[in-house]
Amino acid sequence: MKTTFRRQITLIVCVLLAATMLTALSFWAVFEYYTTQERERSLCSSADAVTQLIEAYSASYLNDWSFRTNLSVASAASETDILICDTGGTVRICAQDIQRCEHIGGTIGAETAGKVFRKGETRVDGKASTIYGQTRVAVAMPVTDEAGNPLCIVVASVQKSALKALTGQMLRIFLMTALFVLALVLLIAPYLTRRETKPIRDMAAAARRIAHGDLSVRVPTGNQNEEIEELAVAFNNMAVAVQNSETVRQEFVANVSHELKTPMTTIAGYLDGMLDGTIPKEKHRQYMELVATEVRRLSRLVRNMLDVSRLRDQGIPPEKLTDFDICEAAGQALLSFEQRINQKELDVDIDMPEMGLTVRAMQDAITQVLYNLLDNAVKFINQGGTLSIRVVQQGSSAVVTVGNTGPTIAPEELPLIFDRFHKTDKSRSTDRDGVGLGLYIVKTIVLAHGEDVYVTSADGKTEFTFTLSLSKG
């Protein structure tokens, strides 16, 4: 199967070959035209020199052997065949053989001769070709005496095959050079192909390994090709993201499985006990209430997971942002825990501005944050401990802190406290009502507002703090 790169190389080679042939033909046509033009100018120069020579000898040129000798030398030196015709166009002298040349007696025709005298320098390729019996490039130039009367016609010509030979030789040199370069390209192309496509082949191999589950694979970087380097870096970033996503997915599945396993096992155990008679009928209602509690816990788990997922995907819509008093919201959230506060005989320490503090945020979401933090604080506070809630203004932000006395969170647990399903009590025996998503929801909501949330725990006191932007109105 041909690769895309091979198909491209084949296409490029074909285009180069076609371009080479077209260039060769164009070069041949241009060179032939240029050579012909140059040769014509050379013939004119030669004819003009002979014309001056004739004018120097005047009327005695026909019978002067010195003239004929000079004419023969000039013809040989310029590599030009020269004929001298009378005013009627008949050849009287040929520079090839000044005595008995077969061209003597030939004619370019009286009509052509008259044209030469009327127009001056004239191309007479056809007439010269007839005289010599071969295709020629020829020019005819008139010669007049001192009085301006027609004296003779000089015809300078060269065999056209000589020009074609020169043109053909140049064309052969060009083609040989072009074919050599093309052959060199074809020899080097496989090496260049392998070198240029190696990073892509490496990426393809890495992609296959990722498809088979090996998410640790990476492709080498440091390529000289900028585009390939960018692709390699992007591929590695993608692989890292996929690996991280897979890690999160595995952790999520493991955590969800763990969270679901306990209530499901409890529900199944209670139901099996009632069905097989282990649990007497008079206690069925009691255990059904326990089953209902576990089902509600499962429902809260699923609902919270969906809420967090929706919030992470969609963020906080601008139209959901409103201005409200954070102090009033905190007070209402605190009232919902009145019964639990009384059961634990807690002291409540409230520190909020009397005039309130207006923030701009999604009120329902922030109420959920306050509720989760208070629920977490009441859950882990010691009997008779102190629950505190504080709201202060710092610059353009409101800082809300919910604290409680009780067990201190270990330093190594603090960075994990906001993780999904994380609980400091690994056995979960002290938190039967929780689903491990409360603080994760807090972090998700606060970060979705573009704010900060953090926790401190030391000397028997734990505080959760988050910020909100004050209303600009």
Side-chain angles (χ1 to χ4, degrees):
M1 182 177 65
K2 290 186 177 180
T3 63
T4 300
F5 200 86
R6 286 184 179 179
R7 288 196 294 269
Q8 292 295 326
I9 286 293
T10 302
L11 178 61
I12 291 173
V13 169
C14 292
V15 170
L16 285 176
L17 187 59
T20 301
M21 296 303 298
L22 182 61
T23 303
L25 291 175
S26 301
F27 175 80
W28 174 76
V30 171
F31 186 77
E32 184 178 32
Y33 174 79
Y34 176 77
T35 303
T36 302
Q37 293 297 313
E38 284 297 313
R39 194 55 176 164
E40 183 178 350
R41 283 193 287 270
S42 176
L43 292 175
C44 291
S45 297
S46 299
D48 185 61
V50 173
T51 298
Q52 295 178 17
L53 184 63
I54 294 174
E55 290 175 350
Y57 280 90
S58 188
S60 63
Y61 74 92
L62 287 175
N63 301 314
D64 194 320
W65 285 101
S66 175
F67 167 77
R68 296 194 178 205
T69 302
N70 289 332
L71 179 64
S72 179
V73 171
S75 174
S78 62
E79 297 182 349
T80 304
D81 295 326
I82 299 174
L83 300 176
I84 297 178
C85 305
D86 58 21
T87 56
T90 302
V91 178
R92 300 295 300 275
I93 298 175
C94 178
Q96 287 181 322
D97 189 343
I98 59 178
Q99 289 185 330
R100 296 178 300 277
C101 180
E102 60 181 2
H103 303 137
I104 296 175
T107 181
I108 60 173
E111 182 179 353
T112 302
K115 182 179 178 182
V116 172
F117 282 112
R118 287 195 307 273
K119 294 185 175 182
E121 179 185 313
T122 305
R123 285 283 294 270
V124 289
D125 296 353
K127 300 299 182 178
S129 299
T130 302
I131 294 173
Y132 284 94
Q134 55 189 214
T135 305
R136 291 229 155 202
V137 176
V139 295
M141 186 173 293
V143 182
T144 58
D145 58 17
E146 294 179 356
N149 298 316
L151 187 61
C152 63
I153 296 173
V154 176
V155 178
S157 66
V158 66
Q159 190 174 353
K160 199 165 186 177
S161 60
L163 297 179
K164 290 186 176 295
L166 178 60
T167 305
Q169 184 178 4
M170 294 301 297
L171 181 61
R172 282 193 297 273
I173 293 174
F174 176 83
L175 288 177
M176 288 178 64
T177 304
L179 291 175
F180 173 77
V181 172
L182 187 61
L184 186 62
V185 169
L186 292 176
L187 289 175
I188 297 176
Y191 167 74
L192 295 177
T193 301
R194 286 192 296 270
R195 192 185 73 171
E196 293 297 324
T197 58
K198 184 180 183 301
I200 300 177
R201 293 198 304 271
D202 291 342
M203 291 181 203
R208 286 192 292 269
R209 290 175 61 184
I210 290 176
H212 285 84
D214 183 5
L215 302 181
S216 63
V217 63
R218 301 291 184 271
V219 296
T221 56
N223 298 284
Q224 295 181 352
N225 189 309
E226 183 178 350
E227 291 80 4
I228 295 296
E229 176 67 10
E230 291 179 358
L231 182 60
V233 171
F235 183 93
N236 287 340
N237 291 339
M238 179 200 68
V240 171
V242 171
Q243 187 176 27
N244 292 339
S245 298
E246 179 63 17
T247 301
V248 171
R249 185 191 67 82
Q250 291 176 354
E251 292 178 355
F252 180 78
V253 171
N255 289 331
V256 170
S257 300
H258 187 280
E259 292 295 330
L260 293 178
K261 180 175 65 177
T262 301
M264 294 299 291
T265 301
T266 302
I267 292 171
Y270 290 160
L271 292 177
D272 289 341
M274 287 185 287
L275 289 174
D276 61 17
T278 303
I279 299 175
K281 291 185 178 181
E282 59 271 17
K283 292 187 177 181
H284 280 191
R285 180 177 180 81
Q286 175 186 351
Y287 282 94
M288 287 298 293
E289 291 177 351
L290 294 175
V291 169
T293 300
E294 294 296 330
V295 170
R296 284 193 293 272
R297 181 168 179 266
L298 285 176
S299 178
R300 288 199 306 275
L301 172 64
V302 173
R303 185 173 59 255
N304 289 338
M305 289 171 60
L306 291 176
D307 290 342
V308 170
S309 177
R310 187 181 303 110
L311 192 60
R312 286 174 61 89
D313 292 341
Q314 300 177 3
I316 303 293
E319 63 272 13
K320 296 290 185 179
L321 298 178
T322 59
D323 296 338
F324 63 94
D325 188 351
I326 186 62
C327 298
E328 182 181 351
Q332 291 178 352
L334 185 61
L335 287 176
S336 64
F337 290 90
E338 181 180 5
Q339 183 177 359
R340 293 172 61 185
I341 290 174
N342 293 334
Q343 288 176 352
K344 281 196 169 185
E345 301 177 347
L346 304 179
D347 291 330
V348 180
D349 181 12
I350 300 176
D351 182 10
M352 293 187 290
E354 292 183 3
M355 301 301 294
L357 208 56
T358 304
V359 297
R360 184 166 184 79
M362 185 176 176
Q363 186 170 358
D364 291 342
I366 298 303
T367 300
Q368 181 69 43
V369 169
L370 291 167
Y371 181 88
N372 287 1
L373 291 179
L374 287 169
D375 178 70
N376 186 76
V378 172
K379 187 182 301 179
F380 293 102
I381 197 172
N382 56 316
Q383 185 71 23
T386 300
L387 175 67
S388 64
I389 181 168
R390 183 171 67 254
V391 179
V392 297
Q393 179 179 349
Q394 288 185 1
S396 60
S397 299
V399 181
V400 183
T401 301
V402 176
N404 66 275
T405 58
T408 300
I409 301 173
E412 63 271 13
E413 294 284 346
L414 289 177
L416 309 174
I417 199 71
F418 291 105
D419 287 356
R420 182 193 288 123
F421 298 118
H422 180 77
K423 295 183 179 181
T424 56
D425 181 6
K426 301 301 180 182
S427 66
R428 284 152 166 87
S429 59
T430 63
D431 184 15
R432 292 294 299 145
D433 295 330
V435 296
L437 282 173
L439 295 180
Y440 178 71
I441 292 174
V442 168
K443 177 183 177 182
T444 301
I445 292 175
V446 173
L447 293 183
H449 280 80
E451 302 294 337
D452 297 325
V453 60
Y454 54 91
V455 59
T456 59
S457 184
D459 302 327
K461 187 172 185 179
T462 300
E463 291 185 336
F464 288 86
T465 303
F466 67 94
T467 62
L468 289 174
S469 296
L470 294 176
S471 172
K472 296 180 180 180

